[in-house]
Amino acid sequence: MNKKIVYILSIIVLIVVLLPFILNFFKPKYRNVFEEIYHDEYYHATNSFLRTTSTLNSVPDIEENKTSGLFYGSILEQYRSEALPLGVESISYSFFFPDDKLENGNMSINFRFLHTNGDFIDIYYVYGHNSGKLVQSVGIIGEKRLTEFNQIMEYVELKKISLSPYFSTSEELLRNKVIPDWLRVYSSRFSKDNWGDVTIIHDSVEIQKFE
């Protein structure tokens, strides 16, 4: 084998070895794991060649999303019912991109529980694009849908409902299932215990003052 061929092969091997590091260097550096998820979903819905399925669709427990692109600026990704932990009615992601644009949008990770009285308890974790804040909130669906804080407080007091178990279960699922599931399918610089530059704002802190 002459020196020219050896030289070419050496260059090829070097490129193959260095390629992952080069790609990682030019990969966008998001401030937290929620920005990763938000940007990735938007990319696959708007910029991918032939509208490839999102990275979230690679999570085995998430339903295959048979639609492509945005539907009025929105996307829903949902866990399969048979993959849900006992006592959990649904886990889903919802994305909203106003005017089909990345700016000023948000994503929400949603947990739904069924109370023994038949009411649905919804716990949401909403992240606004570039906000650096993950805001926890609650909604109740019973005889009617309640989303206002004061209405919810009056209702849970009347019905003697404790919301604390739902807040703690949803946060445990977020930390020990939802985020780890994402990390298994995406080459992230974050971890289960390090979500990056993000502040969690808890509705539950205010609610527990009234319980």
Side-chain angles (χ1 to χ4, degrees):
M1 187 179 295
N2 61 47
K3 291 183 179 180
K4 186 176 181 180
I5 294 176
V6 171
Y7 177 76
I8 292 172
L9 289 175
S10 299
I11 295 296
I12 292 172
V13 170
L14 183 63
I15 291 172
V16 170
V17 170
L18 293 178
L19 187 60
F21 299 97
I22 295 171
L23 293 174
N24 189 62
F25 178 80
F26 287 105
K27 192 174 182 178
K29 298 295 190 293
Y30 301 116
R31 66 191 298 186
N32 58 60
V33 68
F34 304 103
E35 286 289 345
E36 279 184 347
I37 299 170
Y38 180 84
H39 279 259
D40 183 82
E41 194 75 15
Y42 183 79
Y43 168 78
H44 284 283
T46 60
N47 298 322
S48 295
F49 180 66
L50 296 180
R51 299 293 191 268
T52 58
T53 56
S54 70
T55 303
L56 280 175
N57 261 211
S58 301
V59 175
D61 286 347
I62 286 184
E63 291 179 358
E64 180 184 357
N65 195 336
K66 299 184 184 299
T67 60
S68 60
L70 299 173
F71 183 73
Y72 293 104
S74 300
I75 305 173
L76 178 69
E77 303 277 11
Q78 189 157 312
Y79 275 77
R80 294 182 292 107
S81 58
E82 61 270 25
L84 297 173
L86 187 64
V88 181
E89 287 292 307
S90 69
I91 302 175
S92 64
Y93 286 85
S94 55
F95 298 85
F96 179 57
F97 306 101
D99 301 318
D100 292 355
K101 297 186 183 303
L102 187 71
E103 295 77 16
N104 303 319
N106 63 67
M107 61 168 281
S108 175
I109 302 175
N110 318 301
F111 301 88
R112 172 167 287 181
F113 305 91
L114 180 63
H115 191 268
T116 53
N117 70 1
D119 290 346
F120 288 111
I121 312 294
D122 292 329
I123 308 296
Y124 311 100
Y125 293 85
V126 182
Y127 182 83
H129 175 48
N130 275 339
S131 68
K133 297 177 181 177
L134 184 70
V135 181
Q136 180 199 67
S137 61
V138 61
I140 297 178
I141 303 175
E143 297 173 1
K144 57 183 180 179
R145 188 183 187 97
L146 304 175
T147 57
E148 295 295 327
F149 181 82
N150 290 335
Q151 290 180 329
I152 291 171
M153 288 303 93
E154 290 175 7
Y155 187 81
V156 298
E157 185 176 358
L158 177 67
K159 298 290 185 177
K160 295 182 170 38
I161 298 172
S162 174
L163 295 176
S164 297
Y166 302 107
F167 282 116
S168 58
T169 300
S170 64
E171 190 158 339
E172 181 182 344
L173 287 169
L174 180 65
R175 186 171 298 279
N176 295 319
K177 178 169 179 58
V178 174
I179 297 301
D181 279 352
W182 167 256
L183 298 174
R184 289 187 192 98
V185 297
Y186 185 88
S187 179
S188 175
R189 66 191 183 95
F190 304 109
S191 69
K192 186 182 86 166
D193 300 314
N194 174 22
W195 296 354
D197 180 15
V198 61
T199 301
I200 304 176
I201 300 173
H202 293 88
D203 252 7
S204 56
V205 173
E206 293 299 321
I207 287 172
Q208 285 167 1
K209 292 178 184 177
F210 292 85
E211 292 190 340

